[in-house]
Amino acid sequence: MTVRTFSPKAADIQRQWHVIDASDVVLGRLASHVATLLRGKHKPIFAPHVDTGDFVIVVNAEKVALSGNKLKDKRAYRHSGYPGGMHSMAYGDLLAQHPERVVEKAVRGMLPKNSLGRGMLRKLKVYAGPDHPHEAQQPAPFEIKQIAQHTAEHHTAQEHTAGAGRKSSK
Protein backbone atom coordinates (compact mmCIF):
# COMPACT_ATOMS: atom_id res chain seq x y z
CA MET A 1 0.00 0.00 0.00
CA THR A 2 1.42 3.38 -0.99
CA VAL A 3 0.52 6.59 0.77
CA ARG A 4 0.28 9.61 -1.47
CA THR A 5 1.35 12.99 -0.07
CA PHE A 6 -1.31 15.63 -0.53
CA SER A 7 -0.12 18.83 -2.17
CA PRO A 8 -2.68 21.66 -2.36
CA LYS A 9 -3.50 23.08 -5.77
CA ALA A 10 -4.79 26.57 -6.51
CA ALA A 11 -8.36 25.24 -6.77
CA ASP A 12 -8.15 23.69 -3.26
CA ILE A 13 -7.41 26.99 -1.53
CA GLN A 14 -10.34 28.82 0.08
CA ARG A 15 -9.26 32.34 1.06
CA GLN A 16 -11.07 34.18 3.84
CA TRP A 17 -10.78 37.75 5.08
CA HIS A 18 -9.95 38.51 8.71
CA VAL A 19 -10.01 41.89 10.43
CA ILE A 20 -7.83 42.43 13.52
CA ASP A 21 -8.09 45.37 15.91
CA ALA A 22 -4.55 46.30 16.99
CA SER A 23 -5.62 48.50 19.91
CA ASP A 24 -3.36 47.84 22.93
CA VAL A 25 -1.94 44.63 21.44
CA VAL A 26 1.82 44.14 21.75
CA LEU A 27 3.42 44.49 18.31
CA GLY A 28 5.28 41.16 18.29
CA ARG A 29 2.23 39.15 19.34
CA LEU A 30 0.12 40.91 16.72
CA ALA A 31 2.70 40.27 14.00
CA SER A 32 3.02 36.56 14.83
CA HIS A 33 -0.76 36.04 14.63
CA VAL A 34 -0.96 37.98 11.37
CA ALA A 35 1.97 36.04 9.85
CA THR A 36 0.31 32.73 10.78
CA LEU A 37 -2.91 33.78 9.03
CA LEU A 38 -1.06 35.08 5.96
CA ARG A 39 0.94 31.85 5.58
CA GLY A 40 -2.09 29.61 6.14
CA LYS A 41 -0.55 27.62 8.99
CA HIS A 42 -3.94 27.56 10.72
CA LYS A 43 -5.41 25.44 7.90
CA PRO A 44 -5.22 21.65 7.57
CA ILE A 45 -4.09 21.95 3.93
CA PHE A 46 -0.97 24.00 4.80
CA ALA A 47 2.07 23.32 2.67
CA PRO A 48 5.29 25.34 3.02
CA HIS A 49 5.78 25.69 -0.76
CA VAL A 50 2.25 26.99 -1.54
CA ASP A 51 0.56 30.21 -0.46
CA THR A 52 -2.51 28.84 1.34
CA GLY A 53 -3.06 31.87 3.57
CA ASP A 54 -5.91 34.29 4.03
CA PHE A 55 -6.27 38.05 3.64
CA VAL A 56 -5.72 40.07 6.82
CA ILE A 57 -6.91 43.61 7.57
CA VAL A 58 -5.28 45.33 10.57
CA VAL A 59 -7.10 48.41 11.88
CA ASN A 60 -6.07 50.90 14.59
CA ALA A 61 -2.37 50.43 13.83
CA GLU A 62 -1.66 53.76 15.55
CA LYS A 63 -2.77 52.24 18.89
CA VAL A 64 -0.40 49.24 18.83
CA ALA A 65 1.67 48.75 21.99
CA LEU A 66 5.42 48.32 22.32
CA SER A 67 6.83 46.93 25.53
CA GLY A 68 9.67 48.43 27.53
CA ASN A 69 11.54 51.46 26.20
CA LYS A 70 11.20 50.42 22.55
CA LEU A 71 9.37 53.62 21.56
CA LYS A 72 12.54 55.64 22.08
CA ASP A 73 15.34 53.03 21.97
CA LYS A 74 14.37 50.74 19.06
CA ARG A 75 15.18 52.09 15.61
CA ALA A 76 13.74 51.33 12.17
CA TYR A 77 16.34 51.26 9.38
CA ARG A 78 15.95 51.73 5.65
CA HIS A 79 18.46 52.19 2.85
CA SER A 80 18.07 54.20 -0.36
CA GLY A 81 20.38 51.89 -2.31
CA TYR A 82 23.06 54.56 -2.72
CA PRO A 83 26.34 54.77 -0.78
CA GLY A 84 25.72 56.51 2.53
CA GLY A 85 21.96 56.13 2.07
CA MET A 86 21.22 54.51 5.44
CA HIS A 87 18.43 56.25 7.35
CA SER A 88 17.13 55.38 10.79
CA MET A 89 14.18 56.56 12.83
CA ALA A 90 13.03 55.84 16.38
CA TYR A 91 9.93 53.66 16.55
CA GLY A 92 8.10 56.38 18.50
CA ASP A 93 8.56 58.80 15.59
CA LEU A 94 7.70 56.15 13.01
CA LEU A 95 4.54 55.23 14.91
CA ALA A 96 3.52 58.90 14.98
CA GLN A 97 4.21 59.54 11.27
CA HIS A 98 3.52 56.17 9.54
CA PRO A 99 1.84 53.68 11.90
CA GLU A 100 1.11 51.28 9.02
CA ARG A 101 4.83 50.77 8.36
CA VAL A 102 5.44 49.64 11.95
CA VAL A 103 3.02 46.71 11.59
CA GLU A 104 4.10 45.91 8.01
CA LYS A 105 7.78 45.83 9.02
CA ALA A 106 7.10 43.49 11.95
CA VAL A 107 5.02 41.09 9.83
CA ARG A 108 7.53 41.17 6.94
CA GLY A 109 10.21 39.90 9.30
CA MET A 110 8.10 36.85 10.17
CA LEU A 111 7.35 35.78 6.59
CA PRO A 112 9.63 33.84 4.20
CA LYS A 113 12.27 35.99 2.52
CA ASN A 114 11.47 35.02 -1.09
CA SER A 115 8.85 35.57 -3.78
CA LEU A 116 6.37 33.44 -1.82
CA GLY A 117 6.72 35.73 1.21
CA ARG A 118 6.31 38.85 -0.94
CA GLY A 119 3.09 37.41 -2.35
CA MET A 120 1.83 36.75 1.17
CA LEU A 121 2.65 40.31 2.21
CA ARG A 122 0.41 41.63 -0.59
CA LYS A 123 -2.57 40.08 1.22
CA LEU A 124 -1.92 42.28 4.28
CA LYS A 125 -3.90 45.54 4.50
CA VAL A 126 -2.96 47.89 7.36
CA TYR A 127 -4.87 51.05 8.33
CA ALA A 128 -3.99 53.60 11.01
CA GLY A 129 -7.60 54.28 12.01
CA PRO A 130 -10.67 52.12 12.70
CA ASP A 131 -12.06 52.32 9.12
CA HIS A 132 -11.18 50.17 6.10
CA PRO A 133 -12.59 49.98 2.53
CA HIS A 134 -12.99 46.18 2.48
CA GLU A 135 -16.56 45.79 3.75
CA ALA A 136 -17.61 44.11 0.48
CA GLN A 137 -15.33 41.14 1.29
CA GLN A 138 -17.24 40.56 4.57
CA PRO A 139 -14.19 40.12 6.81
CA ALA A 140 -14.64 38.06 9.96
CA PRO A 141 -13.27 39.58 13.18
CA PHE A 142 -10.22 37.73 14.52
CA GLU A 143 -9.74 37.98 18.27
CA ILE A 144 -6.22 37.88 19.70
CA LYS A 145 -6.36 36.31 23.12
CA GLN A 146 -4.10 38.18 25.48
CA ILE A 147 -2.85 36.84 28.77
CA ALA A 148 -2.93 39.44 31.52
CA GLN A 149 0.63 40.26 32.55
CA HIS A 150 1.12 40.10 36.31
CA THR A 151 3.06 42.92 37.87
CA ALA A 152 5.41 42.36 40.80
CA GLU A 153 2.98 44.08 43.22
CA HIS A 154 0.08 41.86 42.10
CA HIS A 155 2.25 38.74 42.34
CA THR A 156 3.42 39.45 45.90
CA ALA A 157 -0.13 40.27 47.00
CA GLN A 158 -1.30 36.86 45.76
CA GLU A 159 1.53 35.11 47.60
CA HIS A 160 0.66 36.89 50.85
CA THR A 161 -3.02 35.98 50.65
CA ALA A 162 -2.22 32.39 49.67
CA GLY A 163 0.30 32.12 52.51
CA ALA A 164 -2.16 33.55 55.02
CA GLY A 165 -4.77 30.99 53.97
CA ARG A 166 -2.37 28.12 54.54
CA LYS A 167 -1.37 29.36 57.98
CA SER A 168 -4.98 29.70 59.16
CA SER A 169 -5.89 26.15 58.09
CA LYS A 170 -3.30 24.57 60.45
Side-chain angles (χ1 to χ4, degrees):
M1 177 172 67
T2 60
V3 178
R4 305 280 298 182
T5 301
F6 173 75
S7 184
K9 311 290 184 286
D12 300 333
I13 301 168
Q14 300 283 323
R15 298 203 194 278
Q16 297 174 333
W17 285 73
H18 303 280
V19 62
I20 299 176
D21 187 7
S23 298
D24 300 324
V25 179
V26 177
L27 179 62
R29 293 180 189 274
L30 172 72
S32 64
H33 283 286
V34 170
T36 301
L37 290 172
L38 288 173
R39 281 201 79 184
K41 291 187 103 175
H42 63 291
K43 295 182 177 182
I45 65 164
F46 170 73
H49 66 287
V50 180
D51 183 5
T52 58
D54 294 336
F55 288 87
V56 179
I57 304 163
V58 178
V59 294
N60 290 324
E62 62 194 6
K63 297 179 184 173
V64 73
L66 278 96
S67 59
N69 293 329
K70 292 185 184 131
L71 281 175
K72 61 179 171 61
D73 292 346
K74 186 174 172 73
R75 302 195 67 77
Y77 297 95
R78 59 190 170 89
H79 198 282
S80 67
Y82 290 96
M86 178 73 88
H87 299 282
S88 71
M89 180 183 282
Y91 259 70
D93 299 333
L94 186 63
L95 193 60
Q97 293 177 10
H98 304 286
E100 305 90 7
R101 290 186 194 169
V102 173
V103 176
E104 288 169 2
K105 187 172 175 60
V107 173
R108 182 183 295 121
M110 296 184 183
L111 291 176
K113 277 68 172 177
N114 52 27
S115 60
L116 191 64
R118 290 189 294 274
M120 292 173 186
L121 197 61
R122 281 194 282 275
K123 296 183 302 188
L124 174 65
K125 318 292 183 192
V126 184
Y127 299 99
D131 300 324
H132 62 86
H134 303 286
E135 291 299 326
Q137 283 73 29
Q138 300 169 348
F142 185 82
E143 196 68 35
I144 294 178
K145 288 147 185 83
Q146 295 191 69
I147 300 169
Q149 300 295 321
H150 296 291
T151 61
E153 297 165 2
H154 180 71
H155 205 353
T156 55
Q158 277 186 331
E159 290 171 357
H160 288 302
T161 56
R166 280 191 291 246
K167 289 177 186 174
S168 63
S169 63
K170 287 183 179 179

